Amino acid sequence: MKPLKLTMSAFGPYADCQLLDFSDLKNNSIFLIHGPTGAGKTSILDAICFALYGDSSGAEKDGKSLRSHYANLDTLTEVVFDFELKDKKYRIKRIPEQERLKRAGIGTTMQNSEAVMWRLKEGGEELIISGWSKVTDEVKKIIGFESEQFRQVIMLPQGQFRKLLTADSKERQDIMEKIFHTEVYRKIEEILKESAKELRNSIMKKEERRKWCLETLGCGDVSKVEGLIAESTQRLSNISLILKEKNKKVKSLQDNHIKAREGNEKLRDLEERFQDLEALKALSEDYDAKGIQLQNARKAATLGETEKATRLRSEDKKRCGEDLNNKTEAFNIAIKNHEIIEKKFKIEKEREREREAKRKTVIELEGYMDRVASLETYRNSIENLKIEVDKIAKDKDNIHKRHIKIQENLKINLQRVKEAEEIVLKLPIFEDVFNKNMILLEKRNSLDNFKIRLNDVFKTHSVAFQEYEKLSLQYIKEKEEYFSLQELWNKGQAAILARGLKDNMPCPVCGSIHHPNLATTHEAIPTEIELKEKISLVEKLEKEKNNRKDALDEVTKEKSKLEASIEALEAELKESKDIDIEKLNVQLENVKKAYEKAEIKAKELDALKEELKNEEILEQNIKNSLLELENIFASKNDEYQRSLGSLKGMEDNIPEAIRTLEALEQETLKANNAFNALKEAFDKANKEYEDSSRLLTQAESLKVSAEIALEEAVVKYNQERARFSESLKKAGFEKYSDYESAKMTETAITTMEQDIKSYEGKIKSAEDAYAKALNASRDITLQDLEVMEKELQSAEDEFREAIKEESSLAKTIGDYKKTHSEINELEEKIVIEEQKYSVVGHLSNVSAGQNGYGMTFQRFVLGTLLDDITYAATERLKLMSKGRYQLRRTLDRARKNSAGGLELEVFDTYTGVERSVTTLSGGESFLASLSLALGLADVVQSYSGGISLDTIFVDEGFGTLDPESLDFAIRTLIDLQKGGRLVGIISHVPELKERIDARLEVMITDRGSRAEFKVS
């Protein structure tokens, strides 16, 4: 990845739009980003990282916190980054979430985060993708790095790239795991561990199951189980023989019991048949009486038709008598009605003259119909004319009033337009005042926030300074004690050596054989352990003191930055720096209201002018309409007056009561109704008279016919009654009551016949059954079944007990065999799984670090990678340290129970001793960290295949180097550019400015920072 252009707007300390065109470097592949502390050098790297991944180079800031405090509200924070990768050019634009001014109206709104990515071509740009996370994913895809890897390999941020050197083994594993994606090897460890665990658990479960199976049978091993099965099988064979004998005895007893039960049943059946026959014989007298009753019923049944005929004649006589009474009553009513109707008919006949007079009145009224219709039509036309005249007069009056109202509105709207025009002229003034007050309020709030933060930082700084001073004093004290112990130890070693010296024996230190002044000591000699513990404590305190110093420097830097920001804001605010914020808010609100009112008036002005123009046109149109209506009114009113005179002449020729069609029609209808009523009354009376005469004649004829029918019915009834009395005597019934009691229905007669026949059949069946039972029970004696059943029950119980014993033993043998089979199967599986576990378990233990080095499989892979990194780093470190230092990976562990394989040490060729990288000085540590970072970049590129590392940025650290070391470090970075890389160095060290021709100068102004390339 090689940068082409970077555009920052309202980003970090850059308030305005800042364009950095990397083509300005020309052919220089190494350049210095130079400027004072806090100017914004690191912000350039933040902008590149933010454009690519949406976070800063140190991953300590998000997009929202990167907005410039110097920027105006109308300037959006955004970054546009053009870069080249594998001969393809790309552009990314990111806008973080932020507060901005509304596009319409006043006030602020929230700007959502945006991200867009294009591919740059000769003809323009081609959209690749948009969306915050989608752009980040696309960057990871084409560059090949996550954000964390990018910061470790390409962009080495301030204070971050030392981590790989100074980290402990666990931290170094986390860093390298993220860079090289070695999670797969850790997953292999986990898979092996889980597989071994599953196998071990499976074996243990099977062994527990086998043990349980043996314990269940009470056996110690499988051979005893086999003996138990053989013994139980022999017992089962013996029980089977016994069972056959018992079964034979049961069957014999069952046969005897069945024969005895059948004999007893036959004797019991003989007794029951005898009882049934005797019971039927006892009913013989009742059935003899039923036979006599049946004979009488059959005789009575032969007289049924004669009795029915007599009854019908009696009913016919009764009906004819009732009919004669009805006909006589109807005849009397007809006589009375005829007399009443005849009187009404005579009255209507006498009103003939009245009917004729009404007919003539109707004819006379119908003669006026045409004249009244003409009058009605003419009157209607006059009324329509009157309505038209009134409407024109009303319209004329309404238009006149409307004309007056519109003239008044014209005056009012004209005044409103003038007022709106005056306010619109003031709108820019209101807007300018509002924006100035808005910016002033924002800066005033920022000033207060900076002061609050500065107060907090002062407190933090005070605490950090006190802790640093306290730790420094403790460090000096412990160091002095260490020097004292070291001196005592040296003296002690000399005294110990002196004790063994003798005259004429050479000294192992100086070789002299004379020892005139032997070393002595009277103080306690410290042990080597005490000395190591003290130096360990001193080193720990030194490291902690340096950490506290770094923390104090960070707080001091933040304090200076805040003080500079406060000073810049106070200088910008001048006399407004002490103004009350509440007063500013009130002032801003008043200006806002005035601005909003003016804005509303501005929006209304065009509408008011348009409305005024329309009202002027309307006023002229109404004025013209009013003149036209006055002329029409005069013409129509004359026509109406002339028509009224003609109407008066037509009304004089028609009676006043019928001058309208409605009145004439009502009078005609009234006359017609009166005539029709008289005519209908006569017609009705005439018809009723004729109908009454006809009904009277019919009633008289019906009465005579009824009298004749009654006489005939009486004669026939008397004849039929005499014939029925004769038949009763012949049938043997002396009285009618005897006949009545003997009568039965046909169904009852049939039922009785069937009952008698059924009785006779039952007697015959009972006699036959008794004879058959008597024959079947001959030579049979009664047996005691209870004694036989007890004997049978006892034999069956013994047989069932034998069956149970046989079944139980057979089931037990089956269980023994099943358990025996399961034990054999378990033992086979245990052997197979133990063979597997011997391999998988060993692999799991080794991969999990249970080896002499405490090294896991993943750490082994990472260790191989770290060897490659330290090899590449050592080549550069040799150059930068004049051949003194070499980086090495050691298998030693800091603690016995800690994981090993990723510890680093430095080999000092001057002393020939390996020591911890933490013992390096500040400058040495920087050179070693830089070498390690460059070595890491080389290894990542070699292992990643398609990843292209065309650029590297190094942020700070050069201030800790002496001139010679600085020269070696620069030479190493220059070697990088020979390989085609672009190298950017961020530093405020003056010596670098003199050594590097191409620079990106970053300058602080009262309106934020600005930057430009300078090539000498």
Side-chain angles (χ1 to χ4, degrees):
M1 188 278 296
K2 184 171 289 186
L4 301 176
K5 283 184 183 179
L6 176 66
T7 305
M8 301 174 288
S9 180
F11 187 90
Y14 301 96
D16 300 320
C17 181
Q18 176 67 62
L19 171 64
L20 299 178
D21 189 344
F22 288 85
S23 63
D24 292 343
L25 291 172
K26 299 177 182 178
N27 295 323
N28 292 282
S29 296
I30 184 167
F31 68 98
L32 175 67
I33 305 174
H34 187 268
T37 301
K41 301 184 295 299
T42 303
S43 294
I44 295 170
L45 303 191
D46 286 342
I48 294 174
C49 266
F50 175 71
L52 293 172
Y53 295 100
D55 54 21
S56 64
S57 63
E60 297 167 353
K61 305 173 186 174
D62 57 18
K64 298 177 187 176
S65 63
L66 293 172
R67 178 170 173 79
S68 175
H69 297 293
Y70 298 100
N72 294 325
L73 282 173
D74 56 353
T75 304
L76 274 180
T77 297
E78 66 178 30
V79 175
V80 180
F81 181 47
D82 295 0
F83 63 95
E84 182 178 356
L85 182 68
K86 297 179 183 177
D87 299 326
K88 293 181 181 179
K89 296 180 179 179
Y90 300 92
R91 172 173 293 159
I92 297 176
K93 176 181 177 181
R94 283 192 191 264
I95 300 175
E97 184 181 279
Q98 59 192 290
E99 194 175 7
R100 62 167 175 81
L101 289 174
K102 291 181 178 178
R103 293 188 178 91
I106 59 175
T108 61
T109 187
M110 187 58 68
Q111 164 72 43
N112 292 327
S113 59
E114 296 177 9
V116 188
M117 185 175 184
W118 298 271
R119 182 177 290 111
L120 302 180
K121 297 183 176 180
E122 292 182 3
E125 54 189 29
E126 174 189 350
L127 177 66
I128 297 176
I129 200 166
S130 63
W132 195 269
S133 60
K134 290 181 180 178
V135 169
T136 303
D137 291 341
E138 186 66 20
V139 168
K140 293 175 184 177
K141 179 180 175 183
I142 65 170
I143 293 181
F145 286 142
E146 299 283 340
S147 174
E148 180 72 20
Q149 293 174 288
F150 186 82
R151 290 193 297 272
Q152 288 286 347
V153 177
I154 293 178
M155 191 168 289
L156 310 179
Q158 197 172 49
Q160 295 289 318
F161 74 100
R162 295 175 187 259
K163 282 185 178 179
L164 188 60
L165 178 71
T166 58
D168 60 23
S169 185
K170 179 66 175 66
E171 291 171 345
R172 190 171 293 111
Q173 176 180 340
D174 293 339
I175 295 170
M176 293 183 68
E177 182 178 325
K178 290 178 183 177
I179 294 174
F180 291 102
H181 295 294
T182 57
E183 300 90 346
V184 64
Y185 302 104
R186 178 168 45 79
K187 289 180 181 177
I188 291 172
E189 294 173 18
E190 293 171 356
I191 291 169
L192 286 170
K193 181 180 179 182
E194 189 62 30
S195 299
K197 182 181 177 183
E198 288 176 0
L199 280 171
R200 182 67 259 168
N201 290 339
S202 177
I203 292 168
M204 289 175 65
K205 286 179 181 178
K206 288 178 174 62
E207 288 176 341
E208 288 172 1
R209 177 65 183 175
R210 180 182 61 181
K211 182 180 178 182
W212 179 84
C213 288
L214 291 170
E215 289 175 351
T216 302
L217 301 179
C219 299
D221 53 41
V222 179
S223 60
K224 290 184 178 180
V225 176
E226 292 169 351
L228 189 62
I229 292 171
E231 180 185 347
S232 300
T233 304
Q234 182 59 45
R235 281 180 57 206
L236 181 63
S237 177
N238 296 335
I239 291 171
S240 297
L241 293 174
I242 295 169
L243 188 63
K244 287 179 182 179
E245 292 298 324
K246 291 186 179 294
N247 185 33
K248 186 176 180 181
K249 180 180 178 182
V250 168
K251 284 184 178 180
S252 175
L253 290 172
Q254 285 176 342
D255 291 341
N256 294 335
H257 181 269
I258 290 169
K259 289 177 182 179
R261 188 174 63 242
E262 289 176 351
N264 288 355
E265 287 292 330
K266 288 177 180 179
L267 292 173
R268 192 181 300 109
D269 183 57
L270 177 64
E271 180 64 24
E272 289 175 355
R273 297 304 178 192
F274 177 75
Q275 296 294 333
D276 291 343
L277 180 60
E278 289 300 315
L280 286 171
K281 287 179 178 180
L283 298 173
S284 61
E285 292 182 2
D286 293 339
Y287 276 93
D288 290 343
K290 283 185 179 181
I292 296 169
Q293 185 181 359
L294 181 62
Q295 289 177 0
N296 290 333
R298 284 175 178 162
K299 290 178 183 179
T302 60
L303 300 175
E305 290 298 325
T306 306
E307 182 188 20
K308 183 179 179 182
T310 304
R311 189 180 296 110
L312 289 174
R313 290 300 179 185
S314 175
E315 291 174 355
D316 186 47
K317 183 187 73 164
K318 183 179 178 183
R319 180 181 57 75
C320 289
E322 291 173 351
D323 186 53
L324 177 59
N325 291 334
N326 292 335
K327 294 295 190 297
T328 302
E329 185 179 356
F331 176 67
N332 293 332
I333 291 170
I335 292 172
K336 291 179 182 178
N337 287 340
H338 182 70
E339 291 174 352
I340 293 168
I341 289 170
E342 187 177 15
K343 288 179 182 179
K344 285 173 65 178
F345 175 68
K346 288 179 180 179
I347 292 169
E348 291 298 328
K349 193 173 182 182
E350 292 173 354
R351 297 179 70 183
E352 180 62 29
R353 291 182 180 177
E354 186 179 352
R355 284 195 292 275
E356 184 62 24
K358 291 294 182 182
R359 187 179 67 78
K360 289 180 180 179
T361 300
V362 170
I363 293 170
E364 183 178 351
L365 286 170
E366 287 175 350
Y368 280 107
M369 192 62 68
D370 291 340
R371 283 185 286 171
V372 172
S374 299
L375 177 65
E376 185 82 8
T377 302
Y378 195 68
R379 186 185 294 115
N380 287 338
S381 66
I382 292 174
E383 287 178 356
N384 290 336
L385 187 60
K386 177 68 168 63
I387 291 169
E388 189 176 355
V389 170
D390 291 344
K391 183 177 181 301
I392 292 169
K394 186 177 180 181
D395 290 345
K396 183 167 67 71
D397 185 53
N398 288 338
I399 290 173
H400 180 67
K401 291 177 181 177
R402 189 178 174 196
H403 184 243
I404 294 170
K405 187 175 180 180
I406 286 174
Q407 286 178 330
E408 293 173 353
N409 287 342
L410 275 172
K411 292 178 182 177
I412 294 169
N413 285 339
L414 186 61
Q415 183 61 32
R416 288 172 65 195
V417 168
K418 289 180 180 178
E419 291 174 357
E421 286 175 339
E422 291 175 359
I423 292 174
V424 167
L425 291 173
K426 298 177 182 178
L427 187 61
I429 299 171
F430 287 139
E431 185 176 7
D432 183 59
V433 172
F434 174 77
N435 288 334
K436 286 180 179 178
N437 277 273
M438 191 72 179
I439 293 168
L440 180 61
L441 179 61
E442 183 182 343
K443 290 180 178 179
R444 186 66 184 78
N445 282 326
S446 297
L447 181 61
D448 284 357
N449 291 335
F450 282 147
K451 287 181 177 179
I452 291 169
R453 286 172 58 194
L454 182 61
N455 186 44
D456 294 338
V457 169
F458 266 125
K459 294 176 182 177
T460 306
H461 183 271
S462 176
V463 172
F465 181 76
Q466 290 172 8
E467 290 177 350
Y468 174 70
E469 285 291 311
K470 181 180 177 181
L471 202 59
S472 296
L473 291 173
Q474 186 180 355
Y475 167 71
I476 292 168
K477 177 185 174 186
E478 294 294 339
K479 194 172 183 181
E480 288 173 351
E481 289 179 1
Y482 165 69
F483 288 147
S484 298
L485 284 174
Q486 182 70 48
E487 187 178 356
L488 285 173
W489 187 81
N490 292 337
K491 289 179 179 178
Q493 294 302 312
I496 291 169
L497 181 64
R499 289 185 199 136
L501 290 177
K502 296 178 180 179
D503 288 337
N504 299 318
M505 180 184 293
C507 176
V509 177
C510 63
S512 175
I513 59 173
H514 301 289
H515 318 292
N517 189 17
L518 293 173
T520 59
T521 180
H522 303 289
E523 297 180 79
I525 302 171
T527 65
E528 189 174 352
I529 294 173
E530 289 175 338
L531 197 63
K532 285 184 178 180
E533 286 177 352
K534 181 61 71 174
I535 192 172
S536 176
L537 177 61
V538 170
E539 288 174 349
K540 181 180 177 183
L541 287 172
E542 183 182 16
K543 185 177 180 181
E544 191 173 348
K545 179 177 72 71
N546 291 336
N547 290 338
R548 295 290 172 88
K549 181 64 169 65
D550 291 342
L552 180 62
D553 291 344
E554 286 293 323
V555 176
T556 304
K557 187 190 298 183
E558 187 177 359
K559 181 168 72 70
S560 302
K561 190 174 180 181
L562 285 172
E563 287 172 344
S565 299
I566 291 170
E567 185 179 352
L569 274 175
E570 286 181 342
E572 191 175 345
L573 289 170
K574 297 178 183 178
E575 65 276 0
S576 301
K577 66 181 181 179
D578 297 321
I579 192 169
D580 184 50
I581 289 181
E582 189 62 35
K583 183 179 178 182
L584 265 178
N585 280 321
V586 173
Q587 184 178 333
L588 183 65
E589 187 62 29
N590 293 335
V591 174
K592 181 181 177 182
K593 288 178 180 178
Y595 176 79
E596 288 174 346
K597 183 178 179 183
E599 197 174 38
I600 292 169
K601 289 292 182 183
K603 291 177 181 177
E604 291 177 349
L605 181 59
D606 292 339
L608 285 173
K609 287 182 178 180
E610 185 66 24
E611 185 180 349
L612 182 64
K613 181 180 178 182
N614 292 337
E615 286 185 346
E616 287 174 347
I617 295 169
L618 182 61
E619 190 270 339
Q620 185 60 43
N621 291 339
I622 289 174
K623 188 175 181 182
N624 295 336
S625 298
L626 186 60
L627 291 172
E628 184 180 353
L629 277 175
E630 286 177 347
N631 293 331
I632 293 171
F633 176 76
S635 173
K636 289 292 182 180
N637 193 44
D638 289 344
E639 183 182 352
Y640 173 68
Q641 295 300 327
R642 289 195 302 273
S643 298
L644 284 176
S646 300
L647 179 65
K648 186 67 172 63
M650 292 175 70
E651 287 178 342
D652 292 341
N653 295 323
I654 300 172
E656 186 175 356
I658 58 172
R659 287 179 180 173
T660 65
L661 276 176
E662 184 181 0
L664 177 60
E665 288 171 353
Q666 286 178 354
E667 288 297 324
T668 302
L669 180 62
K670 191 187 295 181
N672 258 324
N673 289 341
F675 171 71
N676 289 334
L678 289 171
K679 186 173 182 304
E680 287 174 1
F682 174 75
D683 293 341
K684 181 180 179 184
N686 184 40
K687 186 175 183 308
E688 287 177 351
Y689 177 70
E690 291 174 354
D691 292 342
S692 177
S693 298
R694 186 177 67 258
L695 290 173
L696 180 62
T697 303
Q698 290 176 354
E700 185 177 5
S701 175
L702 290 171
K703 176 177 172 291
V704 173
S705 298
E707 289 172 347
I708 295 169
L710 177 61
E711 291 174 359
E712 292 176 352
V714 169
V715 172
K716 290 179 180 179
Y717 168 70
N718 291 333
Q719 293 173 349
E720 196 65 44
R721 184 178 180 187
R723 193 180 302 115
F724 177 64
S725 297
E726 186 65 25
S727 297
L728 280 175
K729 291 177 181 179
K730 287 180 179 180
F733 295 109
E734 295 296 329
K735 297 183 289 187
Y736 180 76
S737 59
D738 294 339
Y739 163 73
E740 190 68 28
S741 62
K743 279 197 304 184
M744 291 176 66
T745 64
E746 189 66 30
T747 302
I749 291 170
T750 302
T751 302
M752 186 172 284
E753 286 177 345
Q754 291 174 349
D755 186 27
I756 292 170
K757 286 180 180 179
S758 175
Y759 172 73
E760 291 172 349
K762 287 178 181 178
I763 284 287
K764 182 69 171 64
S765 297
E767 289 173 347
D768 293 343
Y770 176 71
K772 186 177 180 181
L774 184 62
N775 185 51
S777 60
R778 218 175 254 117
D779 300 328
I780 295 176
T781 58
L782 188 66
Q783 300 293 325
D784 190 349
L785 292 177
E786 187 175 352
V787 173
M788 296 179 74
E789 285 172 356
K790 286 181 179 179
E791 187 179 357
L792 175 61
Q793 183 66 43
S794 176
E796 286 177 343
D797 289 344
E798 290 177 3
F799 179 68
R800 278 194 291 271
E801 286 298 323
I803 289 175
K804 286 181 182 178
E805 187 178 357
E806 182 189 44
S807 299
S808 175
L809 187 56
K811 183 178 182 301
T812 301
I813 292 170
D815 292 341
Y816 288 166
K817 289 180 178 179
K818 184 178 178 182
T819 304
H820 179 261
S821 176
E822 184 180 358
I823 290 169
N824 288 335
E825 186 178 348
L826 286 170
E827 287 181 342
E828 289 174 3
K829 289 181 178 178
I830 288 170
V831 170
I832 293 169
E833 289 184 356
E834 282 180 340
Q835 289 173 351
K836 289 182 181 178
Y837 182 74
S838 65
V839 177
V840 177
H842 178 66
L843 288 175
S844 174
N845 292 336
V846 172
S847 67
Q850 294 181 24
N851 49 63
Y853 302 105
M855 189 185 304
T856 64
F857 183 40
Q858 184 186 24
R859 280 176 169 265
F860 173 75
V861 174
L862 291 175
T864 303
L865 293 169
L866 188 57
D867 285 340
D868 294 341
I869 293 168
T870 54
Y871 178 79
T874 297
E875 293 302 312
R876 293 188 173 88
L877 184 59
K878 284 179 182 178
L879 174 63
M880 289 189 278
S881 64
K882 295 178 290 183
R884 180 176 181 181
Y885 293 119
Q886 297 176 14
L887 285 173
R888 292 180 180 178
R889 178 172 72 96
T890 176
L891 296 177
D892 294 338
R893 289 181 279 178
R895 298 184 308 277
K896 288 185 179 179
N897 61 347
S898 64
L902 295 179
E903 299 289 349
L904 283 179
E905 63 183 12
V906 61
F907 178 72
D908 189 342
T909 59
Y910 287 8
T911 63
V913 176
E914 295 93 351
R915 53 191 172 96
S916 171
V917 292
T918 58
T919 62
L920 294 172
S921 66
E924 292 170 340
S925 176
F926 171 74
L927 293 177
S929 298
L930 179 60
S931 300
L932 197 62
L934 297 176
L936 174 64
D938 292 341
V939 173
V940 167
Q941 185 170 15
S942 66
Y943 275 93
S944 300
I947 294 180
S948 177
L949 302 178
D950 301 323
T951 305
I952 188 168
F953 291 96
V954 183
D955 189 355
E956 286 297 352
F958 293 92
T960 60
L961 303 180
D962 57 68
E964 188 176 7
S965 296
L966 179 62
D967 185 58
F968 281 117
I970 293 174
R971 278 191 214 172
T972 302
L973 294 173
I974 289 173
D975 286 341
L976 289 177
Q977 70 166 339
K978 291 177 182 177
R981 286 193 192 177
L982 177 66
V983 180
I985 301 172
I986 296 179
S987 180
H988 57 274
V989 176
E991 289 84 351
L992 285 174
K993 189 174 180 181
E994 297 172 1
R995 292 167 181 257
I996 299 175
D997 296 333
R999 298 184 303 279
L1000 177 56
E1001 294 285 355
V1002 182
M1003 295 149 282
I1004 298 176
T1005 69
D1006 58 351
R1007 287 288 300 147
S1009 299
R1010 60 184 182 85
E1012 62 179 346
F1013 282 107
K1014 291 183 178 180
V1015 181
S1016 57

